[in-house]
Amino acid sequence: KMASSIPGIRFVDYEDESQLHQVMDLVGRDLSEPYSIFTYRYFLYRFPRLCILAVPEDSDEPIGCVVGKMDREDRSIFPGGGIGDDEPVENQASSTTQQQQQQQEQGDPTTAETNATTHDEAINNNNNNMTSQGDWTGYIGMLAVRESYRRKGIGKALVRQVLQRMKSMNCTSATLETEVTNVTAQKLYQTCFGFVREELLVRYYLNWNDAYRLRLWFHDVKMTNRRRLEKDRNLPGEPVVSKS
């Protein structure tokens, strides 16, 4: 359970398969094109720490959720570098692209323990070759709040907590997509959290709607990683012993 500034609402982590259909129900209500169960399992099985549920204090039924993931990203080609309470943002359960859906349906889900171990090992080893491996970047794939609970700050709180989680997991940035026509969502992401518009994605969704990719930079994480890398590169090597 996480601290909550919203009276009557507690924020909890996704735990297991028993909550899968609750997440599917929340997100599926707002999708013009539904995800398959394999898409949900791709996110929830592989990145359970990036799924946070909003639950009323007097119930066990979630009324909101945010679902994310994280990947390695080659940042060498890029310069180093919010969600509010409005309904269009809390209604942002983004459609997936056809390519993403095919990749996710082909992937084999792993357990939370396996994913945690793999991620921690990768973080411990990422100083060896940060340029070629790329930085960790977070991704917000799903966000939904039940209609009767909107305009209470729940969506904003969910995003704030998942962004904090991504930072703690050593991500240097976070990305998401929003439809070009959802001007309110774009303004709120940018105003509340500092996301910037990065790319126009033409016909990105399965319904052929265009999207903007937005990105938020975690500058403190990126600078910490660079300092650690520079320090490791400057460590003295083993003394060379000459043989006569």
Side-chain angles (χ1 to χ4, degrees), residues 173-190:
S173 68
T175 65
L176 57 89
E177 289 87 29
T178 182
E179 291 196 54
V180 168
T181 55
N182 198 343
V183 178
T184 303
Q186 296 165 39
K187 288 182 178 179
L188 289 170
Y189 275 113
Q190 294 167 4

Side-chain angles (χ1 to χ4, degrees), residues 162-172 218 220-221:
V162 80
L163 290 176
Q164 291 172 349
R165 188 72 57 86
M166 289 173 178
K167 286 184 66 174
S168 72
M169 295 169 74
N170 214 29
C171 291
T172 59
F218 303 137
D220 50 344
V221 177

